[in-house]
Amino acid sequence: MGNAEEMHGWTVKMSTPSVLAVVTVFSMIPGGVLSDMRGAQGLETQQLAQGSTHLHRRLRRGWIWKQLFVPEEDPTPRVIGQLKSDSDRGEFSIKYVLSGEGAGDAFEIDEYSGEIRTLKKLDREEKAFYILQAQAINRRSNEPEEPQSEFIIKVQDINDNVPQFQNEPYVSSIPEMCPTGTTVAQVTATDADDPMFGNNAKLIYSILQGEPYFSVEPKTGIVVTSWPNMDREAREQYLVVVQVKDMLGLSGGYSSSTTVTVSLTDVNDNGPTFQHHLYTFAVPEDAQVGTTVGRIMAEDGDVGINAKMTYSLEDDLEESSTFIIETDPTTQEGVVLLAKPLDYESKRRFVMAAEAVNDHVDTRFLNLDEFSDRTTLKIVVEDVDEPPVFLSPAYEWKVPENAAVGSEVGSVSARDTDTVNNPIRYSIDKRSDATKAFKIDPNNGTITVAKALDRETSNWHNVTVEAKETSQNHLSSSVVVFIKVLDINDNVPRLARDYQPYICEGTQAGELIQLLSAVDPDDPVEGHHFYFSMVPEKHINPNFTIRDNQDNTAGIVARRSTFTRKDRTQYVLPVVVADSGSPALSSTSTLTITVCSCQPAGHCPTGGVEALALSMGLSLQTLLGILICLVTLTVLSVLMLMVRRHRRKQQEGLEVEVRELELPETVSQKVLYYGEAGGGGRGGGGGGGRRDLDLCHPVVPLRPHPRRRERRLRREDVRASIRMSLRESHLIGPEDEVFKQFILDRLAEADQDPYVPPFDCLRTYAYEGSGSPTGSLSSLDSSASEVGPEQPVCNPRPCLVRLTPWYGGGEEDTVF
């Protein structure tokens, strides 16, 4: 409000309803302000006493004010107070101005009279007070008459809010059988009204529903139990309705309610109890071990861990192990199980006691013996027609492989365990004895040998024997019989493989030539032991000897050092192998030892090939030559087949030209036509072409010959031989003796054949040599350019005509 020396007087007038507010205003005037007023008066008196020439006279303020009051929720606009300056003489020269919170919206001031009015209904819960500023301004000078003053308008509370519960919903649990006064929950409510003004926000709690089991403390809202030993098994849940009122529960106040859900948790205050004193079950005698015989149940009013129990059977000296009982963890039932096979003929009824005991015991509520209960079990065994039972689950016998047919191997036995004791018949399952090596007596189960046995073929026989009752049901069972065939020495020993030993020419006496081993299909218990020796003869073998190593192996050792291929290429050595059986068996094998030329390391390079050649009296070079010739002939045959196919395609392309020169079938295709006129002699026959064909005429008559076809086939063979020799000539050379002889043979053959006319052929003159002084006799090297234009058309010498179908039309004619 400023210091008292700087303020002019303000007067606040209140309406009649605001008397209480005015009193409050006076009571709230701070002492400091009053002190300032007294200090100001003292100062003024002192100045007068001193006779000061400059005296400041202050106007006395009506009163000092700081706050006004207005009731909330009042919809009627009304004057809540009036502001008036001491300088206001009623001439309306002062203008009052209001500013601050709610000015012009919630409050207004009359600028002439200074009355403060409300403009709307106010809500204390929305805004409890407003801070405003007031100022008095001179209308003439427009200067403030008073410094700006700040004041507060407080909204007075009324009971217009209903108390509300917090943190709903309320859920709580307490153990059953808990003592009285046990805290259940605490409910809390709030009221938006002013707790400092009257009883508007003063709350009080009470129980509407839940008595006499529960109660609530009026001021704190704490809900407690008020009934002793509440039993969960009787009632598990309660709904407690709590009411709260403001105005301390006086009339005219507001109230609300909430619900507290109270659950009782379980304690172990109940023991297991069987509903029946006797439980009876029936089980067939053929029931498998582990079969469920029945279920028993001891009821327990508790739940969860307090209801868990363990079942047990009475500890009986005889029958306790036949059945066992287990607890089902889900249903808490006792499951009776079969622990041993039953036999109706031995025992038909079992009686035993069963007991159920709680796992968790709480002696606060019950005695120890009240947490268990007992009952009686009666189990009846039902008779079942059962199949025969063998006295042994399996049989194992041994029989020698030389056992005679009809020899007894062993006997099986089965019986009917039922009281009727039906007769039994035995048989062998055919699928287990496909060879029918055994048979069984159907009455007494004796198994005998039905056919000769061979351990080397099958050393074990697994036979299934079936026993069947002769009753109407024909029940049966089976058992496996294992028969082991024992070994006897019935196989002769033999060498382990087909040995092909060889000895090098430089072998010295005493050297090992071949290491031998033997095999025997027999399997003696003490293992094999073989003996190696030579065939007894009158004279000792001077070439080789056999050395037994006493470890089932033997070595062939040379007795001399003079082995050569020139003297002898092969030696025969009989070897005797004997076993250690009883009786001992032996066999004789004859080995062929070959003499060969070995490498420095002692290895025979050609092995059996060289030995074969030596045995045939042929040298190695001759044998290799024969092999090379065979390979060459094979390659030439393939090449000739390819050339023939190529020529056949060329002949098809020249079919028209060939038709003009075709000869009868009875005439050889190698015959040449000679004419008196034509184009030259041998020198021009190679390149005449169709012009030579037109100018030359045949002058040699062609005579058919009855042996032409046969000779034609023979000459085909000759031609093949020529081709092969021709190819070899290119590799070796024409000066070789082979080709000189070939030329002489061909000339002699031509001279001795009266049916072959002279012809110009590369096959004949290819071997005349390049050094002949007469030059080549062939017309293939002649050129058509040698015949000049000045020569006559026809040559007095007969011209040479080449048969196109025979030679073809290109350079390929020279290829064989």
Side-chain angles (χ1 to χ4, degrees), residues 200-458:
N200 294 342
K202 301 296 179 60
L203 306 178
I204 190 170
Y205 300 92
S206 61
I207 289 285
L208 293 182
Q209 177 184 326
E211 294 178 338
Y213 304 102
F214 301 94
S215 61
V216 64
E217 295 182 4
K219 293 184 179 180
T220 60
I222 297 176
V223 181
V224 297
T225 60
S226 58
W227 189 269
N229 301 328
M230 286 187 292
D231 190 6
R232 185 198 66 82
E233 288 73 32
R235 184 176 179 182
E236 186 175 0
Q237 192 177 78
Y238 296 86
L239 299 178
V240 181
V241 180
V242 180
Q243 184 185 56
V244 64
K245 286 185 178 182
D246 57 10
M247 298 291 292
L248 293 176
L250 300 177
S251 60
Y254 293 100
S255 66
S256 61
S257 62
T258 187
T259 300
V260 181
T261 302
V262 183
S263 300
L264 299 182
T265 58
D266 184 64
V267 298
N268 196 4
D269 58 344
N270 295 276
T273 303
F274 286 104
Q275 300 301 312
H276 304 282
H277 297 289
L278 177 64
Y279 291 87
T280 303
F281 303 106
V283 57
E285 65 171 327
D286 61 346
Q288 299 294 325
V289 173
T291 302
T292 299
V293 178
R295 289 173 176 259
I296 60 176
M297 179 67 181
E299 294 185 357
D300 192 328
D302 299 323
V303 294
I305 191 175
N306 297 319
K308 287 187 176 181
M309 64 189 74
T310 300
Y311 295 88
S312 62
L313 296 178
E314 185 178 17
D315 189 10
D316 190 279
L317 296 179
E318 184 178 357
E319 289 87 25
S320 61
S321 60
T322 305
F323 301 93
I324 59 174
I325 188 169
E326 296 178 353
T327 302
D328 189 331
T330 304
T331 62
Q332 291 300 307
E333 294 177 311
V335 183
V336 182
L337 303 174
L338 180 62
K340 288 185 177 181
L342 299 174
D343 187 9
Y344 174 81
E345 289 72 26
S346 300
K347 190 174 182 61
R348 305 181 181 183
R349 186 177 66 173
F350 295 85
V351 179
M352 62 197 73
E355 184 180 24
V357 180
N358 272 139
D359 293 344
H360 301 276
V361 177
D362 193 344
T363 56
R364 294 178 303 170
F365 307 103
L366 297 175
N367 296 326
L368 187 60
D369 58 350
E370 294 180 295
F371 290 100
S372 64
D373 195 17
R374 294 168 64 89
T375 189
T376 302
L377 298 182
K378 181 179 180 181
I379 301 176
V380 178
V381 181
E382 297 177 344
D383 186 26
V384 175
D385 188 9
E386 298 173 304
V389 177
F390 282 92
L391 301 183
S392 176
Y395 295 88
E396 183 174 346
W397 301 325
K398 298 178 180 179
V399 59
E401 64 176 321
N402 61 346
V405 176
S407 301
E408 180 178 344
V409 181
S411 297
V412 297
S413 179
R415 66 181 182 88
D416 184 9
T417 58
D418 298 323
T419 55
V420 295
N421 194 13
N422 293 314
I424 305 298
R425 294 294 179 267
Y426 302 94
S427 62
I428 294 178
D429 190 348
K430 296 180 179 180
R431 294 172 297 181
S432 64
D433 187 21
T435 60
K436 298 181 180 180
F438 304 94
K439 66 179 180 178
I440 188 171
D441 190 319
N443 297 318
N444 58 21
T446 301
I447 297 178
T448 58
V449 178
K451 60 187 303 185
L453 303 177
D454 186 9
R455 189 203 66 85
E456 287 71 35
T457 302
S458 178

Side-chain angles (χ1 to χ4, degrees), residues 280 336 387 469 651 663 677:
T280 303
V336 182
E469 295 180 359
Q651 290 175 2
L663 299 176

Side-chain angles (χ1 to χ4, degrees), residues 569-630:
T569 59
Q570 288 183 345
Y571 295 87
V572 177
L573 178 65
V575 178
V576 178
V577 182
D579 59 17
S580 59
S582 179
L585 299 180
S586 63
S587 65
T588 302
S589 301
T590 301
L591 300 180
T592 301
I593 302 175
T594 304
V595 180
C596 69
S597 176
C598 299
Q599 293 180 351
H603 175 66
C604 187
T606 57
V609 176
E610 183 180 7
L612 179 61
L614 292 175
S615 64
M616 296 175 60
L618 300 177
S619 64
L620 180 60
Q621 291 78 1
T622 305
L623 184 61
L624 291 177
I626 294 174
L627 293 177
I628 294 174
C629 291
L630 292 176

